[in-house]
Amino acid sequence: IQPDLDMARRLGRSLLSRSLLDFIAVTEEFSIIELPVSRGLVGKTLAELKLRERFSINVALIQSHSGRISVPEAHFQLRDDDVLIVLGRDSDLQNFEEILGREDAR
């Protein structure tokens, strides 16, 4: 356990991302990230987005504006005040964040 190193990784990762709320390294190459639903995802279901197929990532949990946390079903429709808790390989998560950022910039 190296709390200084873990905190440095979390801080560095959050500084590199405009949308990242939190970051937890699970292993050297896998992490869990927390990020708000972007404009491009609002109103879509997880089944429509096909995040596992497109990005090789998994939405583990969704936190609503009320603070309620749930394990989402495929038909769950995303709202603009939801927060996604996503896990996957660091490179895949970074790719997902970059694409979300580009969509929000439009």
Side-chain angles (χ1 to χ4, degrees):
I1 298 175
Q2 298 174 321
D4 293 343
L5 182 59
D6 291 339
M7 193 58 193
R9 284 185 183 146
R10 289 176 83 168
L11 179 61
R13 181 73 189 266
S14 65
L15 290 173
L16 292 173
S17 172
R18 286 182 266 155
S19 61
L20 190 67
L21 300 174
D22 203 358
F23 160 83
I24 300 169
V26 178
T27 67
E28 284 294 317
E29 60 181 301
F30 287 90
S31 300
I32 299 171
I33 63 170
E34 186 176 315
L35 64 163
V37 170
S38 69
R39 285 182 282 163
L41 302 181
V42 173
K44 296 182 180 171
T45 66
L46 294 176
E48 289 175 297
L49 294 172
K50 298 180 183 179
L51 299 177
R52 183 181 292 198
E53 292 86 6
R54 291 173 56 206
F55 299 100
S56 299
I57 61 172
N58 293 297
V59 176
L61 301 167
I62 295 181
Q63 183 176 6
S64 69
H65 70 283
S66 66
R68 182 173 180 263
I69 297 176
S70 60
V71 177
E73 299 287 332
H75 65 274
F76 185 90
Q77 191 172 30
L78 298 173
R79 295 180 304 258
D80 63 351
D81 56 356
D82 287 335
V83 173
L84 300 176
I85 300 168
V86 184
L87 58 106
R89 188 178 307 274
D90 291 341
S91 57
D92 296 329
L93 292 170
Q94 188 171 3
N95 183 37
F96 177 62
E97 284 181 77
E98 288 172 6
I99 288 173
L100 288 182
R102 277 186 255 146
E103 288 178 359
D104 273 352
R106 292 180 193 168

